Amino acid sequence: MTKDEPILKFFDYKHLPTYLQEVSKEFHDLAQHIVNKLPDNEERAFALRKLLEAKDCAVRAKLYTD
């Protein structure tokens, strides 16, 4: 069960084309895991923000190669 965390909406991936879903899904799953396993504190929030930044970079990298 996933706890309520507003930043998780930015990890949605099903609206993306299939070739970008393949990249983005892993970040979505990791974000869910972080929210479910780590305590709600500033460090978890920072980890999620950095993960979101990494996800955005990975999706852009895939765009540049296809």
Side-chain angles (χ1 to χ4, degrees), residues 7 10-11 20 23-28 30-31 34 46-62:
I7 197 171
F10 298 114
F11 289 94
L20 294 178
V23 174
S24 192
K25 183 182 184 313
E26 299 297 326
F27 291 94
H28 169 271
L30 183 53
I34 288 170
F46 191 73
L48 288 168
R49 287 193 306 271
K50 289 296 188 178
L51 184 63
L52 181 59
E53 183 179 344
K55 188 257 323 175
D56 291 344
C57 291
V59 169
R60 285 192 304 270
K62 182 68 174 176

Side-chain angles (χ1 to χ4, degrees), residues 1-63:
M1 183 169 148
T2 301
K3 299 175 186 173
D4 184 36
E5 179 67 51
I7 197 171
L8 289 179
K9 67 183 171 194
F10 298 114
F11 289 94
D12 289 344
Y13 64 92
K14 293 184 178 181
H15 64 285
L16 296 170
T18 304
Y19 75 105
L20 294 178
Q21 285 185 21
E22 296 168 357
V23 174
S24 192
K25 183 182 184 313
E26 299 297 326
F27 291 94
H28 169 271
D29 293 347
L30 183 53
Q32 296 282 354
H33 182 76
I34 288 170
V35 168
N36 288 326
K37 298 295 181 183
L38 296 178
D40 186 3
N41 57 38
E42 290 179 22
E43 290 300 315
R44 183 182 90 177
F46 191 73
L48 288 168
R49 287 193 306 271
K50 289 296 188 178
L51 184 63
L52 181 59
E53 183 179 344
K55 188 257 323 175
D56 291 344
C57 291
V59 169
R60 285 192 304 270
K62 182 68 174 176
L63 282 171

